Amino acid sequence: MAEPEAFLAEPGDTREELMGATYRALCAHGYADLTVDRIAAEFSKSKSLIYHHYDGKDDLLLDFLEFSLKHFEAGLPFEEAATDPDDHLRRVLDHVLATSLPEERREFAAAMVELRAQAAHDDRYRDAFATHDRFFRDRFAAIIEAGQADGVYASDVDPEAVATTLVTLVNGSMNRHVTGDGEHAAAVRETIDDYLDDVLVAET
Amino acid sequence: MAEPEAFLAEPGDTREELMGATYRALCAHGYADLTVDRIAAEFSKSKSLIYHHYDGKDDLLLDFLEFSLKHFEAGLPFEEAATDPDDHLRRVLDHVLATSLPEERREFAAAMVELRAQAAHDDRYRDAFATHDRFFRDRFAAIIEAGQADGVYASDVDPEAVATTLVTLVNGSMNRHVTGDGEHAAAVRETIDDYLDDVLVAET
């Protein structure tokens, strides 16, 4: 399964190579100083090829965003076979609420935080991130529903509400790793585990 | 008490007027397209006066950020006299996890989300937001500690961990209001209330 650590290290075709060049330019310069020239400088093929496929920087960045979110989603351990929904949920949380981020994952998170901020003024970015949030929420909710069906989780909890809260925590945690300090993550996980143990897990 | 709704509507001096001009330019153009010329266009005094006080856009925006975070912090209902810590905590949450944001507060939140994203590549922004997060965490923790001292809240919960989780949720919620959809907020509050009722409130 693809991991953000190896994001586009081995591009399979021209589009993936251009996505890799966009990623490297975004990490190096940040969104505000990103230009097609700077992306082209990371790209082994010609700048005119970029303009052959894209109208310009905005068009390219939106394609990069959708590509990156799909890549990120594919790397999440949602689809792993799991006999125990509670164990599955905690393994997903281990992945998305890491207490420390290796440099490669921090760079990817920084790129996503910067692109996400563009949604403040651009509905196309907002739509892409709203879709991503729903993807995340639906998969969390499916695990919680499986736990309720198994009798592991309490039946009076709304899976969508819990899933929405987890998505909001993952968003806030990624944002704080990139824009604040990373020390929050262990405390967040401790509180979630208390919630899972004392509210979500059904009394036996 | 100052409210974001009335953010800088009645500036008291030249600095506040310039802060208001910066805010309006940031809301209108977004961070990436912000220039000193565009800030000056919102300012009743001369552009040279801006350069008299600031080295340039970066210097001005950092002062704006610190001014805005202090204004936001002063508007939070942390200091209100409260006899019941649990009631106090839920009133603060009513304020910072609003289920819908009036346009003025959404604009302010959007400006903060955009400035916060700059921390991905600028340690000065990162330091300002890390300080803001600690302000928030310390005040949440103080309410929870007061609840424990009163015997309202369970003594085996770590106030700093819960406070850190609440700060992370507030961050994620503000980010989602601005960059995704606002529908998450009621679900987040429902889950927090379940946590408060079933974990934080001491069994009697």
Side-chain angles (χ1 to χ4, degrees):
Chain A
M1 183 165 35
E3 277 289 323
E5 284 83 348
F7 187 55
L8 295 171
E10 294 177 19
D13 57 21
T14 298
R15 180 180 177 232
E16 285 196 14
E17 206 202 315
L18 181 55
M19 296 291 108
T22 305
Y23 175 63
R24 289 187 297 278
L26 186 58
C27 290
H29 303 289
Y31 180 89
D33 295 324
L34 194 64
T35 60
V36 172
D37 278 345
R38 285 178 160 164
I39 295 167
E42 301 283 345
F43 187 45
S44 72
K45 300 191 177 72
S46 74
K47 186 170 121 182
S48 64
L49 190 64
I50 299 178
Y51 283 110
H52 180 72
H53 290 290
Y54 297 97
D55 288 340
K57 187 180 81 167
D58 264 13
D59 191 30
L60 170 56
L61 276 178
L62 273 168
D63 192 41
F64 171 75
L65 173 62
E66 296 195 4
F67 179 90
S68 301
L69 290 178
K70 280 201 169 49
H71 177 91
F72 179 69
E73 290 163 5
L76 296 170
F78 277 121
E79 309 303 337
E80 289 176 15
T83 47
D84 179 347
D86 186 52
D87 182 56
H88 189 193
L89 181 57
R90 294 183 205 237
R91 277 189 296 114
V92 173
L93 293 172
D94 288 343
H95 185 89
V96 295
L97 287 169
T99 48
S100 69
L101 285 188
E103 185 54 26
E104 273 284 321
R105 273 185 72 180
R106 210 202 77 85
E107 279 192 357
F108 182 83
M112 287 301 108
V113 165
E114 284 207 282
L115 288 177
R116 188 153 186 147
Q118 306 314 312
H121 286 92
D122 191 323
D123 285 345
R124 298 167 303 174
Y125 284 85
R126 172 190 297 271
D127 290 346
F129 281 106
T131 301
H132 174 66
D133 288 347
R134 281 194 296 273
F135 166 95
F136 234 131
R137 182 203 61 196
D138 291 348
R139 274 149 191 83
F140 273 131
I143 300 176
I144 295 164
E145 283 163 12
Q148 289 178 324
D150 285 1
V152 179
Y153 286 154
S155 58
D156 62 348
V157 169
D158 177 2
E160 289 240 333
V162 180
T164 298
T165 306
L166 292 175
V167 171
T168 306
L169 274 172
V170 170
N171 178 325
S173 177
M174 183 188 270
N175 190 280
R176 293 188 70 184
H177 268 298
V178 171
T179 66
D181 66 56
E183 287 167 28
H184 67 281
V188 168
R189 183 55 190 271
E190 180 184 329
T191 307
I192 293 177
D193 281 336
D194 283 348
Y195 174 84
L196 297 182
D197 293 341
D198 294 353
V199 183
L200 200 58
V201 172
E203 287 173 32
T204 50
Chain B
M1 183 168 31
E3 276 290 323
E5 283 83 350
F7 187 55
L8 295 170
E10 294 177 20
D13 56 22
T14 298
R15 179 179 178 233
E16 286 196 10
E17 206 200 315
L18 181 55
M19 296 292 106
T22 305
Y23 176 62
R24 289 188 296 278
L26 187 58
C27 291
H29 303 290
Y31 180 88
D33 295 324
L34 194 63
T35 60
V36 172
D37 279 345
R38 285 177 160 165
I39 295 167
E42 301 282 345
F43 187 46
S44 72
K45 301 191 176 71
S46 74
K47 186 170 120 183
S48 63
L49 190 64
I50 299 178
Y51 282 110
H52 180 72
H53 289 289
Y54 297 96
D55 287 340
K57 187 181 81 167
D58 264 13
D59 192 30
L60 171 56
L61 276 177
L62 272 169
D63 192 41
F64 171 76
L65 173 62
E66 295 195 6
F67 180 90
S68 301
L69 289 178
K70 280 201 167 50
H71 176 92
F72 179 69
E73 290 164 4
L76 295 170
F78 277 121
E79 309 303 339
E80 289 176 15
T83 47
D84 179 346
D86 186 52
D87 183 56
H88 189 194
L89 180 58
R90 293 183 206 240
R91 277 190 296 114
V92 173
L93 293 172
D94 288 343
H95 185 89
V96 295
L97 287 169
T99 48
S100 70
L101 285 188
E103 185 54 26
E104 274 283 320
R105 273 185 73 180
R106 209 201 78 85
E107 279 192 358
F108 182 83
M112 287 302 108
V113 165
E114 285 207 283
L115 289 177
R116 187 153 186 147
Q118 306 315 311
H121 286 92
D122 190 324
D123 285 345
R124 297 166 304 174
Y125 285 85
R126 172 190 297 269
D127 290 346
F129 281 105
T131 301
H132 174 67
D133 288 347
R134 281 193 297 273
F135 166 95
F136 234 131
R137 182 203 61 195
D138 290 348
R139 274 150 191 82
F140 273 131
I143 301 176
I144 295 165
E145 283 163 10
Q148 289 178 324
D150 285 2
V152 179
Y153 285 154
S155 58
D156 62 347
V157 170
D158 176 3
E160 290 240 335
V162 180
T164 298
T165 305
L166 292 175
V167 171
T168 307
L169 274 171
V170 170
N171 179 325
S173 177
M174 183 188 269
N175 190 279
R176 294 188 71 183
H177 268 297
V178 170
T179 66
D181 66 55
E183 287 167 29
H184 67 280
V188 167
R189 182 55 189 273
E190 179 185 331
T191 306
I192 292 177
D193 281 336
D194 283 349
Y195 174 84
L196 298 182
D197 294 340
D198 294 353
V199 182
L200 200 58
V201 172
E203 287 173 32
T204 50

